[in-house]
Coordinates of all heavy atoms in Angstrom, one line a residue:
M1 N 0.8 -1.1 -0.1 CA 0.0 0.0 -0.1 C 0.8 1.3 0.0 O 1.9 1.2 0.5 CB -1.0 0.0 1.1 CG -0.2 0.0 2.6 SD -1.3 -0.3 3.9 CE -1.7 -2.1 3.7
P2 N 0.4 2.3 -0.6 CA 1.3 3.5 -0.7 C 1.6 4.2 0.6 O 2.7 4.7 0.7 CB 0.3 4.4 -1.6 CG -1.0 4.0 -1.4 CD -0.9 2.5 -1.2
R3 N 0.8 4.0 1.7 CA 1.1 4.7 2.9 C 0.7 3.7 4.1 O -0.3 3.0 4.0 CB 0.3 6.0 3.0 CG 0.7 7.1 2.1 CD -0.1 8.3 2.5 NE 0.2 8.8 3.8 CZ -0.6 9.7 4.5 NH1 -1.6 10.3 3.8 NH2 -0.3 10.1 5.6
W4 N 1.4 3.9 5.2 CA 1.3 3.1 6.4 C 0.3 3.8 7.5 O 0.1 3.3 8.6 CB 2.4 2.6 7.1 CG 3.2 1.5 6.3 CD1 3.0 0.9 5.3 CD2 4.5 1.0 6.6 NE1 3.9 0.1 4.8 CE2 4.9 0.2 5.8 CE3 5.2 1.2 7.9 CZ2 6.0 -0.6 5.9 CZ3 6.4 0.5 7.9 CH2 6.9 -0.4 7.0
S5 N -0.1 5.0 7.1 CA -0.8 5.8 8.1 C -1.7 6.6 7.6 O -1.6 7.1 6.4 CB 0.1 6.5 9.0 OG 0.8 7.5 8.4
K6 N -2.8 7.1 8.3 CA -3.7 8.1 7.8 C -4.2 8.8 9.1 O -4.7 8.1 10.1 CB -4.9 7.6 7.0 CG -5.8 8.6 6.6 CD -7.0 8.1 5.7 CE -7.8 9.3 5.2 NZ -9.1 8.8 4.8
D7 N -4.1 10.2 9.2 CA -4.3 10.8 10.3 C -3.7 10.2 11.6 O -2.6 10.1 11.6 CB -5.9 10.9 10.5 CG -6.6 11.6 9.4 OD1 -5.9 12.4 8.7 OD2 -7.7 11.2 8.9
R8 N -4.4 9.9 12.6 CA -3.8 9.4 13.9 C -3.8 7.8 13.9 O -3.5 7.2 14.9 CB -4.6 9.8 15.1 CG -4.5 11.4 15.3 CD -5.4 11.8 16.3 NE -5.1 11.3 17.7 CZ -4.1 11.8 18.5 NH1 -3.5 13.0 18.1 NH2 -3.8 11.3 19.7
V9 N -4.1 7.2 12.7 CA -4.0 5.7 12.6 C -2.8 5.3 11.9 O -2.5 5.7 10.8 CB -5.2 5.2 12.0 CG1 -5.2 3.6 11.8 CG2 -6.6 5.6 12.7
A10 N -2.1 4.3 12.6 CA -0.8 3.9 11.8 C -0.8 2.3 12.0 O -1.3 1.7 12.9 CB 0.5 4.3 12.5
L11 N -0.3 1.6 10.8 CA -0.3 0.2 10.8 C 1.1 -0.3 11.4 O 2.1 0.3 11.3 CB -0.4 -0.4 9.4 CG -1.6 0.1 8.7 CD1 -1.5 -0.4 7.1 CD2 -2.8 -0.4 9.3
V12 N 1.0 -1.4 12.1 CA 2.3 -2.1 12.6 C 2.2 -3.6 12.3 O 1.0 -4.2 12.0 CB 2.6 -1.8 14.1 CG1 2.9 -0.5 14.4 CG2 1.4 -2.3 15.0
G13 N 3.2 -4.3 12.5 CA 3.2 -5.8 12.4 C 2.7 -6.2 10.9 O 3.0 -5.6 10.0
D14 N 2.1 -7.4 10.9 CA 1.7 -8.0 9.6 C 0.9 -7.1 8.8 O 0.8 -7.1 7.6 CB 1.0 -9.2 9.8 CG 2.0 -10.5 10.0 OD1 3.1 -10.2 10.3 OD2 1.4 -11.7 10.0
A15 N 0.1 -6.1 9.4 CA -0.9 -5.3 8.8 C 0.0 -4.5 7.7 O -0.5 -4.1 6.6 CB -1.6 -4.4 9.6
C16 N 1.3 -4.2 7.9 CA 2.1 -3.4 6.9 C 3.4 -4.1 6.6 O 4.1 -3.8 5.5 CB 2.4 -2.0 7.4 SG 3.4 -1.9 9.0
S17 N 3.8 -5.1 7.4 CA 5.2 -5.7 7.2 C 5.3 -7.2 7.1 O 6.2 -7.7 7.5 CB 6.2 -5.2 8.2 OG 5.7 -5.6 9.5
A18 N 4.1 -7.8 6.6 CA 4.0 -9.3 6.6 C 5.2 -9.7 5.5 O 5.3 -9.2 4.4 CB 2.6 -9.8 6.2
V19 N 5.9 -10.7 5.9 CA 7.0 -11.3 4.9 C 6.5 -12.7 4.7 O 5.7 -13.4 5.5 CB 8.4 -11.2 5.5 CG1 8.8 -9.8 5.6 CG2 8.4 -11.9 6.8
S20 N 7.1 -13.3 3.7 CA 6.9 -14.6 3.4 C 7.3 -15.6 4.5 O 8.2 -15.3 5.4 CB 7.8 -15.1 2.2 OG 8.0 -16.6 2.3
L21 N 6.6 -16.7 4.8 CA 6.8 -17.6 5.9 C 8.4 -18.0 5.8 O 9.1 -18.4 6.8 CB 6.0 -18.9 5.9 CG 4.8 -18.8 6.6 CD1 4.0 -20.1 6.5 CD2 4.9 -18.3 8.1
M22 N 8.9 -18.1 4.6 CA 10.2 -18.5 4.4 C 11.1 -17.6 5.0 O 12.3 -17.9 5.4 CB 10.6 -18.6 2.8 CG 9.7 -19.7 2.2 SD 9.9 -21.3 2.9 CE 11.6 -21.8 2.3
A23 N 10.8 -16.3 5.2 CA 11.7 -15.3 5.8 C 11.7 -15.6 7.3 O 12.8 -15.4 8.0 CB 11.3 -13.9 5.5
G24 N 10.6 -16.1 7.9 CA 10.6 -16.3 9.3 C 10.9 -15.2 10.3 O 11.4 -15.4 11.3
Q25 N 10.5 -14.1 9.8 CA 10.9 -12.9 10.8 C 9.7 -11.8 11.1 O 9.8 -10.9 11.4 CB 12.0 -12.0 10.2 CG 13.3 -12.7 10.0 CD 14.5 -11.9 9.5 OE1 14.4 -10.7 9.6 NE2 15.4 -12.6 8.8
G26 N 8.4 -12.4 10.7 CA 7.3 -11.5 10.9 C 7.1 -11.0 12.2 O 6.8 -9.8 12.4
A27 N 7.2 -11.8 13.3 CA 7.1 -11.4 14.6 C 8.1 -10.4 15.1 O 7.9 -9.4 15.7 CB 6.9 -12.6 15.6
S28 N 9.4 -10.8 14.7 CA 10.4 -9.9 14.9 C 10.2 -8.5 14.4 O 10.4 -7.5 15.0 CB 11.8 -10.4 14.4 OG 11.9 -11.7 14.9
L29 N 9.9 -8.5 13.1 CA 9.6 -7.1 12.4 C 8.4 -6.4 13.1 O 8.5 -5.2 13.2 CB 9.3 -7.4 10.9 CG 10.5 -7.8 10.1 CD1 10.0 -8.2 8.7 CD2 11.5 -6.6 9.9
G30 N 7.4 -7.1 13.5 CA 6.3 -6.5 14.1 C 6.7 -6.0 15.4 O 6.3 -4.8 15.7
M31 N 7.5 -6.5 16.3 CA 7.8 -6.1 17.6 C 8.8 -4.9 17.3 O 8.7 -3.8 18.0 CB 8.4 -7.1 18.3 CG 7.4 -8.1 18.9 SD 8.0 -9.2 20.1 CE 8.9 -10.2 19.1
A32 N 9.8 -5.0 16.5 CA 10.8 -4.0 16.2 C 10.1 -2.7 15.7 O 10.4 -1.6 16.1 CB 11.9 -4.5 15.4
G33 N 9.1 -2.9 14.8 CA 8.4 -1.7 14.0 C 7.5 -1.1 15.1 O 7.5 0.1 15.3
G34 N 7.1 -1.8 16.1 CA 6.3 -1.3 17.3 C 7.0 -0.4 18.1 O 6.7 0.7 18.5
F35 N 8.3 -0.9 18.3 CA 9.3 -0.2 19.2 C 9.6 1.2 18.4 O 9.7 2.3 19.1 CB 10.5 -1.0 19.4 CG 11.6 -0.2 20.2 CD1 11.7 -0.2 21.5 CD2 12.6 0.5 19.5 CE1 12.7 0.5 22.2 CE2 13.5 1.2 20.1 CZ 13.6 1.2 21.5
V36 N 9.9 1.2 17.1 CA 10.3 2.4 16.4 C 9.2 3.3 16.5 O 9.4 4.5 16.8 CB 10.7 1.9 15.0 CG1 10.8 3.2 14.1 CG2 11.8 1.1 14.9
L37 N 7.8 2.9 16.3 CA 7.0 3.8 16.3 C 6.6 4.4 17.9 O 6.5 5.7 17.9 CB 5.4 3.1 16.0 CG 4.3 3.9 16.1 CD1 4.2 5.1 15.2 CD2 3.0 3.1 15.7
A38 N 6.7 3.6 18.8 CA 6.6 4.1 20.1 C 7.8 5.0 20.4 O 7.5 6.1 21.1 CB 6.7 2.9 21.2
D39 N 9.0 4.8 19.9 CA 10.1 5.7 20.3 C 9.9 7.0 19.6 O 10.1 8.1 20.1 CB 11.4 5.0 19.6 CG 12.6 5.8 20.1 OD1 12.8 6.2 21.2 OD2 13.5 6.0 19.2
Q40 N 9.4 7.0 18.3 CA 9.1 8.3 17.6 C 8.1 9.0 18.2 O 8.1 10.3 18.4 CB 8.8 8.0 16.1 CG 10.0 7.5 15.3 CD 11.2 8.4 15.4 OE1 11.1 9.6 15.3 NE2 12.3 7.8 15.7
L41 N 6.9 8.3 18.8 CA 5.9 9.1 19.5 C 6.4 9.7 20.7 O 5.9 10.8 21.0 CB 4.7 8.1 19.8 CG 3.9 7.6 18.6 CD1 3.0 6.4 18.9 CD2 3.0 8.7 18.1
A42 N 7.2 9.1 21.4 CA 7.9 9.7 22.7 C 8.7 10.9 22.4 O 8.7 11.8 23.1 CB 8.8 8.7 23.3
R43 N 9.3 10.9 21.1 CA 10.3 12.0 20.9 C 9.6 13.2 20.0 O 10.1 14.3 20.3 CB 11.4 11.6 19.9 CG 12.4 10.5 20.5 CD 13.2 9.9 19.2 NE 14.0 8.8 19.8 CZ 15.2 8.8 20.1 NH1 15.8 9.9 20.1 NH2 15.9 7.8 20.6
A44 N 8.7 12.9 19.3 CA 8.2 13.9 18.3 C 7.2 14.8 19.0 O 6.5 14.5 20.0 CB 7.5 13.3 17.2
G45 N 7.1 16.0 18.4 CA 6.1 17.0 19.0 C 4.7 16.7 18.6 O 3.7 17.3 19.2
S46 N 4.5 15.9 17.5 CA 3.0 15.6 17.1 C 3.0 14.3 16.6 O 4.0 13.5 16.2 CB 2.6 16.6 16.0 OG 3.3 16.3 14.8
V47 N 1.7 13.7 16.6 CA 1.6 12.4 16.0 C 1.8 12.3 14.5 O 2.5 11.2 14.1 CB 0.0 11.9 16.3 CG1 -0.2 10.5 15.6 CG2 -0.2 11.8 17.8
D48 N 1.5 13.3 13.8 CA 1.8 13.4 12.4 C 3.3 13.2 12.1 O 3.8 12.4 11.3 CB 1.3 14.8 11.7 CG -0.2 14.8 11.6 OD1 -0.9 13.8 11.8 OD2 -0.6 15.9 11.3
T49 N 4.1 13.9 12.9 CA 5.6 13.9 12.8 C 6.1 12.4 13.0 O 6.9 11.9 12.4 CB 6.2 15.0 13.7 OG1 5.6 16.2 13.3 CG2 7.7 14.9 13.4
A50 N 5.5 11.9 14.1 CA 6.0 10.7 14.5 C 5.7 9.5 13.7 O 6.6 8.7 13.4 CB 5.4 10.3 16.0
V51 N 4.5 9.5 13.1 CA 4.2 8.4 12.2 C 4.8 8.6 10.8 O 5.2 7.5 10.2 CB 2.5 8.2 12.0 CG1 1.9 7.8 13.3 CG2 2.0 9.5 11.4
A52 N 5.2 9.8 10.5 CA 5.9 10.0 9.2 C 7.3 9.5 9.5 O 7.9 8.9 8.5 CB 5.8 11.5 8.8
A53 N 7.9 9.9 10.7 CA 9.3 9.4 10.8 C 9.4 7.9 10.9 O 10.3 7.3 10.5 CB 9.8 10.0 12.2
Y54 N 8.4 7.3 11.6 CA 8.3 5.8 11.7 C 8.4 5.1 10.3 O 9.1 4.2 10.1 CB 7.1 5.4 12.5 CG 6.5 4.1 12.2 CD1 7.2 2.9 12.6 CD2 5.2 3.9 11.6 CE1 6.6 1.7 12.4 CE2 4.7 2.6 11.4 CZ 5.4 1.6 11.8 OH 4.9 0.4 11.5
E55 N 7.4 5.7 9.5 CA 7.5 5.0 8.1 C 8.7 5.3 7.3 O 9.2 4.3 6.6 CB 6.3 5.4 7.2 CG 6.3 4.8 5.9 CD 4.9 5.0 5.3 OE1 3.9 5.4 5.9 OE2 4.7 4.6 4.0
R56 N 9.3 6.4 7.4 CA 10.5 6.7 6.7 C 11.7 5.9 7.2 O 12.5 5.5 6.5 CB 10.8 8.2 7.1 CG 11.9 8.9 6.0 CD 12.0 10.4 6.3 NE 12.2 10.9 7.7 CZ 11.3 11.6 8.4 NH1 10.1 11.8 7.9 NH2 11.7 12.0 9.5
M57 N 11.8 5.6 8.5 CA 12.8 4.9 9.1 C 12.6 3.3 8.9 O 13.5 2.7 8.5 CB 13.0 4.9 10.6 CG 13.4 6.4 10.9 SD 13.2 6.8 12.8 CE 14.5 5.6 13.3
W58 N 11.4 2.9 9.0 CA 11.2 1.6 9.2 C 10.8 0.8 7.7 O 11.1 -0.4 7.6 CB 10.1 1.2 10.2 CG 10.0 -0.3 10.6 CD1 9.0 -1.1 10.4 CD2 11.1 -1.1 11.2 NE1 9.3 -2.4 10.9 CE2 10.6 -2.2 11.4 CE3 12.5 -0.7 11.5 CZ2 11.4 -3.3 12.0 CZ3 13.2 -1.6 12.1 CH2 12.8 -2.9 12.3
R59 N 10.1 1.5 7.0 CA 9.7 1.0 5.6 C 10.9 0.4 4.8 O 10.8 -0.8 4.2 CB 9.0 2.0 4.8 CG 8.1 1.4 3.7 CD 7.2 2.3 3.0 NE 6.3 1.6 2.0 CZ 5.1 1.8 1.8 NH1 4.3 2.5 2.6 NH2 4.5 0.9 0.9
P60 N 12.0 1.0 4.7 CA 13.2 0.5 4.0 C 13.6 -0.8 4.5 O 14.1 -1.7 3.7 CB 14.2 1.6 4.0 CG 13.5 2.9 4.3 CD 12.3 2.5 5.1
V61 N 13.6 -0.9 5.9 CA 14.0 -2.1 6.5 C 13.1 -3.4 6.1 O 13.6 -4.5 5.7 CB 14.0 -2.1 8.0 CG1 14.3 -3.3 8.8 CG2 14.9 -0.9 8.4
V62 N 11.8 -3.1 6.2 CA 10.8 -4.1 5.7 C 11.0 -4.4 4.3 O 10.9 -5.7 3.9 CB 9.4 -3.6 6.1 CG1 8.3 -4.5 5.4 CG2 9.2 -3.4 7.5
E63 N 11.1 -3.5 3.5 CA 11.2 -3.7 2.0 C 12.5 -4.5 1.7 O 12.4 -5.5 0.9 CB 11.2 -2.5 1.2 CG 9.9 -1.9 1.3 CD 9.6 -0.6 0.6 OE1 10.6 0.0 0.1 OE2 8.4 -0.2 0.5
E64 N 13.5 -4.4 2.4 CA 14.7 -5.1 2.3 C 14.5 -6.5 2.7 O 15.0 -7.5 2.0 CB 15.9 -4.5 3.1 CG 17.2 -5.4 3.3 CD 17.8 -5.5 1.9 OE1 17.7 -4.6 1.1 OE2 18.7 -6.4 1.8
K65 N 13.8 -6.8 3.8 CA 13.5 -8.1 4.3 C 12.6 -8.8 3.3 O 12.7 -10.0 3.0 CB 12.8 -8.0 5.6 CG 13.5 -7.6 6.8 CD 14.8 -8.5 7.1 CE 15.8 -8.1 8.2 NZ 16.9 -8.7 8.2
R66 N 11.7 -8.2 2.7 CA 10.8 -8.7 1.6 C 11.6 -9.1 0.4 O 11.3 -10.2 -0.1 CB 9.6 -7.7 1.2 CG 8.6 -7.6 2.2 CD 7.5 -6.8 1.7 NE 6.4 -6.8 2.7 CZ 5.7 -5.7 2.9 NH1 5.7 -4.7 2.1 NH2 4.7 -5.8 3.7
R67 N 12.5 -8.3 0.0 CA 13.3 -8.7 -1.1 C 14.2 -10.0 -0.8 O 14.3 -10.8 -1.7 CB 14.4 -7.5 -1.5 CG 13.7 -6.5 -2.4 CD 14.8 -5.6 -3.2 NE 15.4 -4.9 -2.1 CZ 15.1 -3.7 -1.6 NH1 14.0 -3.2 -2.0 NH2 15.7 -3.0 -0.6
Ligands
FAD101 C1 3.0 -21.0 10.7 C2 3.7 -19.7 10.9 C3 5.0 -19.7 11.5 C4 5.6 -18.4 11.8 N1 6.8 -18.4 12.3 C5 7.5 -17.4 12.7 C6 8.9 -17.4 13.1 O1 9.5 -18.4 13.3 N2 9.5 -16.1 13.5 C7 8.8 -15.0 13.2 O2 9.4 -13.9 13.6 N3 7.4 -14.9 12.7 C8 6.8 -16.1 12.3 N4 5.7 -16.1 12.0 C9 5.0 -14.7 11.7 C10 4.3 -14.1 13.0 O3 3.4 -15.1 13.4 C11 3.4 -12.9 12.4 O4 4.4 -12.2 11.7 C12 3.0 -12.0 13.7 O5 2.3 -12.9 14.6 C13 2.3 -10.8 13.3 O6 1.9 -10.3 14.6 P1 0.8 -9.2 14.4 O7 0.6 -8.8 15.8 O8 1.1 -8.2 13.4 O9 -0.5 -9.9 13.8 P2 -1.3 -11.1 14.5 O10 -0.5 -11.9 15.3 O11 -2.0 -11.8 13.2 O12 -2.3 -10.5 15.3 C14 -3.4 -9.8 14.8 C15 -4.6 -10.0 15.8 O13 -5.8 -9.1 15.5 C16 -7.0 -9.9 15.8 N5 -8.0 -9.4 14.9 C17 -8.2 -9.6 13.5 N6 -9.3 -8.9 13.1 C18 -9.7 -8.1 14.3 C19 -10.9 -7.3 14.5 N7 -11.7 -7.1 13.4 N8 -11.0 -6.9 15.7 C20 -10.2 -7.2 16.7 N9 -9.1 -8.0 16.6 C21 -8.9 -8.5 15.3 C22 -6.5 -11.4 15.4 O14 -7.5 -12.3 16.1 C23 -5.0 -11.4 16.1 O15 -5.2 -11.7 17.4 C24 4.9 -17.2 11.6 C25 3.7 -17.3 11.0 C26 3.0 -18.4 10.9 C27 1.5 -18.4 10.3

C-alpha cells in the first residue's frame, strides 16, 4: 500500500510488514516496528511527525527483508 498511516491511525506488524513464511521474521519485524513507532511518538512533537518518521525509518528495513 502507498502509505502506512492516515491521520492518527498507523499500521504495525503484519498489517504493513508481513513477509513470506520462508523469511521467518514476521514477529520480529512486528515487535521492532512497534518499538520504532513508540520511540518516535515519545520524541516527536506531534503524532503526524511521529508516524511519518516511523514509516521513513522502518519501511526500507521491511522492504529489504521482503526482497
Ligand atoms: C506458521 C507460521 C509460522 C511463523 N513463524 C515465525 C517465526 O518463526 N518467526 C517470526 O518472527 N515470525 C513467524 N511467523 C509470523 C508471525 O506469527 C507474525 O508475523 C506475527 O504474529 C504478526 O503479529 P501481528 O501482531 O502483526 O498480527 P497477528 O499475530 O496476526 O495479530 C492480529 C490480531 O488481530 C486480531 N484481529 C483480527 N481482526 C480483528 C478485528 N476486526 N477486531 C479485533 N481483533 C482482530 C486477530 O485475532 C489477532 O489476534 C509465523 C507465522 C505463521 C503463520
Side-chain angles (χ1 to χ4, degrees):
M1 62 191 71
R3 292 182 59 194
W4 286 0
S5 66
K6 185 176 180 198
D7 301 328
R8 295 173 62 88
V9 177
L11 302 176
V12 293
D14 276 10
C16 62
S17 60
V19 290
S20 155
L21 278 183
M22 299 303 287
Q25 296 183 30
S28 307
L29 285 171
M31 288 189 286
F35 176 87
V36 172
L37 177 58
D39 188 48
Q40 291 306 311
L41 285 167
R43 290 168 191 264
S46 74
V47 172
D48 285 353
T49 305
V51 296
Y54 155 67
E55 182 166 348
R56 192 167 59 247
M57 293 171 69
W58 197 240
R59 193 165 184 140
V61 176
V62 169
E63 289 179 353
E64 170 66 22
K65 295 293 179 195
R66 283 189 174 143
R67 275 195 298 276

